[in-house]
Amino acid sequence: MNKALDFYYSSIGKKVLMSVTGLFLIVFLTEHLIGNLLLFAGDEGKMYEAYGDFLVSNPVIRFIELFMFLGIFVHIIIGVILWFKNRKTRSVKYKLFRLKDNATLASRTTIISGLVIGIFLYIHLTTFFFPLRYSDEKSGAYELVVNAFSDFWYVIFYLAALFVIAYHLHHGFQSAFQTLGLRNKKYAPVLDIIAFFVWCLIPLGFAAIPIYFFFFHGSGATVIMWGF
Amino acid sequence: MNFTLKIWRQKNQKDEGRFETYEVKNISPDASFLEMLDILNNQLVLENCDPVAFDHDCREGICGSCGMMINGRAHGKGRKQATCDVRMRSFTDGETITVEPWRANPFPVIKDLIVDRSAFDRIMQAGGFISVRTGSAPDANSIPVCKDNAEEAMDAAACIGCGACVAACPNSSAMLFVAAKVSQLALLPQGQPERKERVQRMITQMDKEGFGNCSNNYACEAECPKGISVMHIARLNREFLTAKLT
């Protein structure tokens, strides 16, 4: 027990927790995207609904879901703790500090992008997850998606949030491997390629959903009819 | 060349400190930054003022004493150079140059631009050494070392402990320094007996000194006068995890 506490109190220990939870959430995100691609099956959501029923009724998935929420919680809490601790290491600030010459915007703003994602997550859960899981009126998941993405501003909000997620992943993915000691000169280029898939293609895949539903099922269909 | 200098002046650790503005004229473009400060100090002495205190020793980029923040950048805006390597021709004539000491709580200001970097010494004392039999020097080549490892260890050993990594880090993290020291010994056969113990003790001391947590934005590598790679930080993390988990 003492050893585990020592590990947590060390600077690297907390970062390892950030990395492990972050990578776990990326695995979840990948699974979430693959599942959501069923929305494009063109069968008015039959397969998508079946997939949703499977997720809700499967006890193993329900168990993993608990871990996912725990992962999100730990990632946020430790991220905020580290940010506060790091702010305290320089009581007298520089008059001039050109950090932007040396570090990417994504790496300097993970706390901000993280908080934005937190807000997005809350809205996302209240739109889809909670109504489907806890409300008595079981509205169909497919119908919910169609309705949500027929609103222009909701689609814009989604796309903006996905852009922020891409930014967060741009730094977070490779950073997790660095913290876990899994980066070296030999594998760093391979990791950079995988990182591109993660930070660019996953958010792009998710972005396709609101765009598709807005233009083909929602109010965007009128825009198409006008010859836009 | 003429310059306006805004230099941090602080009498001692307890003094609050403030910026003071000085003018220097007719500086040769080939003068080093430290020579320019020498000229300013001559001027100040003639005016019966207290000269600006700054650390310096070798003036050829290998001792790591002369660290200072020049216009918001550790050792100035150039890459892979210590302050003594900075030439005045890299500034524009008439430029206002802001000069500050390293700022990090584990590096308290002693006077003006001089900071106390003994936190690094205490990290080294915690584990940055190998235990060897004293007596006559061992025969050369008695312990074979793979060429790649020797190269990598030498790259890490290039660290001069100047503290630019801490100064340039938004979190005042000393990970690049500790990583260089741990890497250097972990890669060589001589470092093996204390390998696991070393990394844990050095990290514990690093945390105790109050350095921040690395957020992998790699500003340290960008500002390191010796170009120490952040891959050594990955190795440090690996060493620490292996030591803790096995």
Side-chain angles (χ1 to χ4, degrees):
Chain A
M1 192 61 199
N2 265 349
K3 230 181 159 183
L5 274 180
D6 273 0
F7 183 68
Y8 171 77
Y9 284 122
S10 74
S11 57
I12 298 180
K14 278 194 274 300
K15 277 152 38 57
V16 164
L17 273 175
M18 281 301 279
S19 311
V20 171
T21 50
L23 287 178
F24 175 63
L25 294 175
I26 289 173
V27 170
F28 160 74
L29 219 55
T30 315
E31 182 280 325
H32 190 36
L33 175 64
I34 293 169
N36 282 1
L37 289 179
L38 289 173
L39 285 165
F40 295 118
D43 57 358
E44 293 294 310
K46 276 194 195 100
M47 275 166 76
Y48 182 69
E49 300 265 350
Y51 161 72
D53 288 342
F54 165 75
L55 290 186
V56 175
S57 57
N58 192 317
V60 178
I61 303 280
R62 296 295 293 268
F63 185 68
I64 295 174
E65 186 183 279
L66 280 180
F67 269 95
M68 189 194 68
F69 280 111
L70 186 71
I72 293 171
F73 182 74
V74 170
H75 196 77
I76 293 174
I77 296 295
I78 298 195
V80 172
I81 290 176
L82 283 172
W83 185 74
F84 273 111
K85 276 178 82 87
N86 284 340
R87 271 173 62 95
K88 280 191 200 150
T89 59
R90 187 168 284 143
S91 306
V92 184
K93 302 274 176 258
Y94 285 112
K95 182 174 191 279
L96 205 58
F97 187 43
R98 296 190 58 88
L99 179 64
K100 62 175 180 210
D101 290 0
N102 301 320
T104 60
L105 182 66
S107 72
R108 287 181 278 128
T109 53
T110 39
I111 184 79
I112 299 165
S113 57
L115 292 176
V116 171
I117 294 168
I119 295 166
F120 164 75
L121 190 66
Y122 173 74
I123 295 171
H124 180 62
L125 289 177
T126 48
T127 314
F128 296 111
F129 183 79
F130 293 131
L132 284 172
R133 172 61 57 81
Y134 299 112
S135 121
D136 297 332
E137 268 179 60
K138 293 277 176 205
S139 59
Y142 185 78
E143 202 188 315
L144 209 58
V145 172
V146 171
N147 287 339
F149 293 139
S150 63
D151 182 356
F152 176 73
W153 292 111
Y154 200 77
V155 170
I156 292 293
F157 165 70
Y158 248 70
L159 296 180
L162 285 165
F163 185 77
V164 176
I165 290 176
Y167 235 80
H168 197 75
L169 292 178
H170 183 269
H171 176 70
F173 184 75
Q174 57 82 25
S175 181
F177 283 87
Q178 170 83 0
T179 300
L180 294 174
L182 299 173
R183 251 175 119 239
N184 65 17
K185 275 186 189 140
K186 203 170 170 184
Y187 298 119
V190 182
L191 214 58
D192 287 345
I193 296 170
I194 302 171
F196 173 76
F197 278 91
V198 169
W199 73 260
C200 185
L201 296 189
I202 291 181
L204 266 183
F206 277 113
I209 298 167
I211 293 173
Y212 170 80
F213 279 91
F214 180 70
F215 283 114
F216 294 100
H217 288 84
S219 49
T222 358
V223 182
I224 292 178
M225 270 162 55
W226 289 344
F228 172 67
Chain B
M1 296 177 89
N2 304 326
F3 301 101
T4 305
L5 302 167
K6 277 189 173 169
I7 301 181
W8 182 260
R9 302 302 307 263
Q10 186 174 335
K11 280 201 178 83
N12 50 46
Q13 282 198 22
K14 285 176 189 150
D15 183 22
E16 269 197 357
R18 74 219 67 86
F19 279 96
E20 285 195 13
T21 311
Y22 303 99
E23 303 282 339
V24 281
K25 292 193 164 58
N26 293 325
I27 302 291
S28 159
D30 299 327
S32 78
F33 197 83
L34 298 185
E35 283 162 350
M36 185 275 297
L37 287 179
D38 289 338
I39 293 168
L40 168 70
N41 278 346
N42 272 341
Q43 207 173 295
L44 289 174
V45 169
L46 287 175
E47 291 166 6
N48 268 337
C49 297
D50 201 15
V52 177
F54 64 93
D55 242 342
H56 61 101
D57 188 19
C58 75
R59 300 206 175 200
E60 55 182 20
I62 52 168
C63 75
S65 314
C66 60
M68 57 189 82
M69 216 65 176
I70 305 169
N71 280 342
R73 295 279 303 274
H75 296 299
K77 67 179 173 190
R79 298 292 182 202
K80 291 192 185 179
Q81 58 177 19
T83 303
C84 57
D85 297 321
V86 177
R87 300 291 142 179
M88 296 317 291
R89 56 178 172 266
S90 64
F91 299 92
T92 49
D93 195 18
E95 192 177 336
T96 302
I97 307 171
T98 307
V99 192
E100 287 177 84
W102 290 163
R103 297 217 189 270
N105 294 355
F107 287 169
V109 173
I110 297 172
K111 191 180 181 189
D112 298 340
L113 303 173
I114 301 179
V115 296
D116 178 2
R117 285 173 297 157
S118 52
F120 272 8
D121 299 336
R122 290 188 290 276
I123 294 176
M124 290 304 277
Q125 283 158 8
F129 51 82
I130 54 166
S131 303
V132 285
R133 172 183 71 86
T134 53
S136 56
D139 282 346
N141 300 326
S142 59
I143 307 171
V145 180
C146 151
K147 169 80 173 150
D148 287 347
N149 285 355
E151 292 282 347
E152 190 99 10
M154 273 306 289
D155 286 348
C159 169
I160 50 177
C162 67
C165 44
V166 175
C169 177
N171 315 324
S172 316
S173 169
M175 286 287 272
L176 193 65
F177 168 76
V178 178
K181 302 304 175 192
V182 165
S183 261
Q184 172 197 337
L185 298 175
L187 283 161
L188 297 175
Q190 291 88 341
Q192 298 313 306
E194 291 133 333
R195 189 171 175 174
K196 285 184 181 173
E197 197 58 27
R198 174 184 306 116
V199 63
Q200 296 184 65
R201 290 172 65 167
M202 288 179 84
I203 290 288
T204 307
Q205 188 62 35
M206 177 187 87
D207 290 343
K208 216 158 102 185
E209 297 290 346
F211 291 104
N213 303 276
C214 174
S215 54
N216 300 330
N217 54 32
Y218 309 145
C220 48
E221 178 183 304
E223 291 292 48
C224 176
K226 296 295 147 186
I228 308 277
S229 164
V230 291
M231 292 301 170
H232 294 296
I233 297 185
R235 180 178 292 107
L236 169 68
N237 290 330
R238 193 156 63 235
E239 291 287 325
F240 183 77
L241 282 175
T242 324
K244 280 280 179 200
L245 300 175
T246 57

